[in-house]
């Protein structure tokens, strides 16, 4: 999250508390000449589950888009749902400086959304994948069944460089897991970038009759 | 709901009937110079279930946001779904002056959305929690199974100050409960404040290429 | 639908084909001075199921809102999902002049959304309910199981004035019923008027810090 | 997809890689005088599943709208979800020039959304249906169960003109299928054109009290 943090700080100069999720936000009310929102900011809207040994804070991260030379728009960075685990350091007190993050991809969200009761799943990430640091840090998120349709969310971070091995476990109730599944389902299309399509569509598609044909021609492309 | 009521009255001077839900509404068509909707109002869009002994009226309450010194946006007050119970005082007549409210949090909505047939759940609220009046009023909402996949919604309000003990029971059919579950699922992300993200996202995120990286960097924050 | 038709004709002078659903549509791009969309139109976006004996055409109808004296907004007419049955008069030809309509309320949508396989439900409407013509026309929509998780949609219209008794039956496949359930779930909050809240919310709620308090105060209203 | 491609090229002159989905995108920020988005572009936001023998890329296509003489809006071309299969030509390399497409209609999406575990379904398309070339190309998409709640997506394209018979098979995990089901459910109302209604609705419907009546009158139209 370094880059994002730096970016945010450079814009807001905030000593933003690490706990909060940082996401770029644009006002739709004061668009700048180039036609896009100009005033940007950071939005804090985490859903946090406070438990005895750790807190699990959840927030979405939208994809970013870039313009191609041809003027087309393409997803530049895919979106994700960020899980942040912070250790407890007393009653209802958590050390957010020591938090560890795990960003869920669309497909990982798919397996959580469809996770059947009493089933479990596990994801493995290497934050430095495909870089010279590959393998130095290994993260795994395991979701295993808890009584009454709840789940244990356990994040393990092994850093071979710092010789550290951290482990966070947060028991998630069925109600809390349902909040996750419902909000993940809501966010999935946004994370995929499909919201651009839908949010643009109102009114737009009748600007002129485009030659987008139904299946016959769409499929007749060779 | 006092503060809100006062706020509303001060703006509209309305002797608004207590029954209706009061929610601030802004026009997106006449933004004022500061870039936000200027004309605000109250929206009445309750979903009401009228039964023999009481009426149950349901309406969403959006979160409010505040700007931090650093210019960041944060959820100031979380949203909720407000349940209002009003006693019947005759055929199809209800005394809305005597209504009692219960505001469901995101997690409480999660347990209703995922409530299995024939299962029940119960929530306890102390309206004055963490104030000097703590414990004076105790509210509990119990949702217990009714024949044919329906549920009894029972609100109990014990006021040790006024020495009152009120009890409202509304039988909710499977169809009515499905309306609740569907609309609660729709509203959940809004109540969490995540809609800000999604509703801002159209077009905005391509304003400039931000350095939001996918999981590798996002997770590489220590 | 008379009034609406008249309204539409007066605006567009169209001899609009009865088949199409008529819904007011506003451009968000050319708002008039009073702050609301000025150019209105009619939107035809039916989902139609063509079968041997009849065609079933489905389209949503949004609620309308009115301003109270106090300046508050309230749902004036509730929304609905309109089902239109038209008899077949040859191969793939239907007589839309002879169509009969049935408007599903939020709660009726709830029972269809939650209709379990092999279960059935039935709704009864009196178009002239609470008028001097009450009882002259009786409509009933029955949804009964069909093989392979499909359903028969049967509309019966008995008009004691015209001494007519019409009956339309359309077999709906599981796939078609799923399209209904998915689109009904999507539309339900809009039909309830809750979309006003959500669609207004972006940016709006941070215009100024309103005194909407969380459950404690919200519930502390007596 | 020819027409669309040609259209796109003519606008952007891009040698756009065939892999990407091309969908018209409009900026809502720089509407042109006629009240609709003027700057249009192409959006690349595919959800792609890369497997050993082929890649399956998925993207939505919105409906287009046309104005009738009476000034009404009607869906001109229905929307769809486009599936693109591209053969593998090495490790993690795919030949997008050789891709074959299959556009799913609303009802076909309905059968995928409701596809039960261990069940299968199959769709047949003739890209030249109702043209002089009818029958020359036959496409079939078969979705059959895979271990652990996954599915095999198999596209077969038989071209009697080119004497070719192509077959693409992509194993889809339960997680990936859930991403499909969730995003298909999200997109369905947009593909049907109902989003126009909902996205227009904010604020619009209170512009003036329209005479849209509830069921009684709506149903009383003959």
């Amino acid at each position: 999250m370094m880059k994002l943090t730096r970016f945010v700080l450079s814009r807001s100069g905030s000593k933003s508390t690490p706990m909060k999720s940082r996401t770029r936000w644009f006002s739709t009310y004061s668009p700048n000449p180039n036609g896009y929102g100009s005033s940007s900011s950071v939005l804090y809207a985490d859903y946090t589950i406070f438990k005895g040994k750790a807190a699990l804070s959840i927030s979405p991260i939208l994809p970013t888009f870039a313009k191609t030379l041809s003027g087309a728009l393409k997803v530049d960075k895919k979106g994700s749902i960020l899980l942040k685990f912070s250790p407890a350091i007393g009653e209802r007190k958590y050390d957010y400086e020591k938090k560890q993050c795990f960003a869920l991809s669309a497909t990982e969200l798919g397996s959580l959304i469809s996770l059947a009761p009493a089933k479990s799943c596990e994801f493995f990430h290497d934050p430095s994948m495909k870089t010279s640091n590959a393998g130095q840090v290994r993260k795994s998120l395991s979701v295993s069944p808890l009584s009454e349709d709840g789940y244990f969310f356990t994040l393990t971070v092994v850093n071979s460089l710092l010789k550290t091995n951290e482990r966070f476990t947060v028991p998630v109730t069925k109600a809390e897991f349902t909040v996750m599944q419902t909000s993940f389902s809501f966010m999935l299309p946004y994370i995929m970038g499909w919201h651009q399509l839908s949010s643009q569509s109102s009114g737009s598609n009748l600007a002129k009759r485009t030659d987008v044909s139904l299946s016959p021609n769409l499929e007749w492309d060779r």
Side-chain angles (χ1 to χ4, degrees), chain A residues 30-47:
Chain A
S30 52
N32 61 14
N34 69 34
Y36 300 124
S38 57
S39 75
S40 77
S41 182
V42 178
L43 175 64
Y44 297 150
D46 287 12
Y47 173 67

Side-chain angles (χ1 to χ4, degrees), chain A residues 44-176:
Chain A
Y44 297 150
D46 287 12
Y47 173 67
T48 304
I49 301 171
F50 300 98
K51 294 299 166 80
K53 293 178 177 172
L56 169 54
S57 194
I58 306 172
S59 58
I61 291 166
L62 291 174
T64 55
F65 295 84
K67 264 202 156 70
T68 64
L69 293 178
S70 67
L73 272 179
K74 65 187 295 298
V75 170
D76 181 31
K77 303 281 189 182
K78 289 181 175 175
S80 62
I81 295 281
L82 192 62
L83 305 185
K84 290 159 285 182
F85 292 79
S86 304
I89 52 175
E91 195 168 330
R92 291 164 180 278
K93 297 184 79 284
Y94 302 88
D95 185 348
Y96 301 125
E97 298 293 341
K98 287 198 161 55
K99 80 170 183 302
Q100 286 284 7
C101 297
F102 198 89
L104 296 166
S105 69
T107 303
E108 288 166 340
L109 292 174
S111 56
L112 286 180
I113 291 170
S114 62
L115 189 59
K119 293 287 181 184
S120 61
C121 62
E122 186 160 16
F123 310 123
F124 299 90
H125 287 182
D126 176 347
S128 316
M129 186 174 50
K130 294 175 184 168
T131 74
S132 57
N133 299 327
Q136 290 178 348
V137 174
R138 278 166 293 114
K139 296 184 172 189
S140 75
L141 176 71
S142 120
V143 179
S144 53
L146 173 63
S147 61
E148 283 177 32
D149 306 339
Y151 294 93
F152 279 115
F153 275 63
T154 303
L155 175 64
T156 307
V157 181
V158 177
N159 187 322
S160 57
L161 215 58
L162 308 177
K163 302 264 181 299
T164 59
N165 184 333
E166 298 170 87
R167 185 183 180 82
F168 305 81
T169 295
V170 174
V172 173
T173 67
K174 181 184 182 182
E176 291 159 344

Side-chain angles (χ1 to χ4, degrees), chain A residues 180-201:
Chain A
M180 288 192 202
Q181 289 179 309
T182 304
S183 54
F184 291 174
S185 298
F186 170 85
M187 268 295 159
L188 191 54
Y190 294 86
I191 280 170
M192 294 162 66
W194 287 18
H195 62 294
Q196 280 289 15
L197 210 54
S198 55
S199 55
Q200 297 306 343
S201 61

Side-chain angles (χ1 to χ4, degrees), chain A residues 4-53:
Chain A
L4 178 49
T5 309
R6 209 181 305 110
F7 166 77
V8 168
L9 294 180
S10 66
R11 286 192 66 86
S12 62
S14 73
K15 303 227 168 344
S16 47
T17 53
M19 175 55 175
K20 308 290 181 59
S21 73
R22 301 179 196 74
T23 319
R24 307 194 70 243
W25 176 89
F26 290 83
S27 163
T28 55
Y29 293 91
S30 52
N32 61 14
N34 69 34
Y36 300 124
S38 57
S39 75
S40 77
S41 182
V42 178
L43 175 64
Y44 297 150
D46 287 12
Y47 173 67
T48 304
I49 301 171
F50 300 98
K51 294 299 166 80
K53 293 178 177 172

